[in-house]
Amino acid sequence: MLLVLVMTVAGTAALTGAVTTANRARHGTPAPAAAANPSDCPRVARVVAPTSYAPALRALAPELAKGDDCVRVDLTEADGRNAPAVAQDEDADVW
């Protein structure tokens, strides 16, 4: 389930970025500046994921933290039978 979410987010981010860049290039408008710091993004997605997914999520996080529609990924790693308890303790939005 999480892999589907990650792939959907990655695909959506890539497609949105490509379309936005193409439209801006065509119309000559500047690209939006990235947030100076991901912590400047007001929207946070608390994610609890296995350690095997963490590298992919960390790679996506800076791109998701950019622009007006940014989302900051707050990642907590949890494996095995303990993961549901960690997700509950962290009040995860995504698990």
Side-chain angles (χ1 to χ4, degrees), residues 25-47:
R26 187 176 311 138
H27 299 293
T29 57
N37 185 340
S39 64
D40 293 339
C41 183
R43 287 180 292 277
V44 178
R46 289 178 304 275
V47 179

Side-chain angles (χ1 to χ4, degrees), residues 13-69:
L15 181 61
T16 301
V19 170
T20 302
T21 300
N23 283 336
R24 289 202 171 107
R26 187 176 311 138
H27 299 293
T29 57
N37 185 340
S39 64
D40 293 339
C41 183
R43 287 180 292 277
V44 178
R46 289 178 304 275
V47 179
V48 173
T51 55
S52 61
Y53 288 18
L57 292 167
R58 280 195 194 92
L60 289 172
E63 192 64 31
L64 294 172
K66 292 180 182 177
D68 295 335
D69 295 326

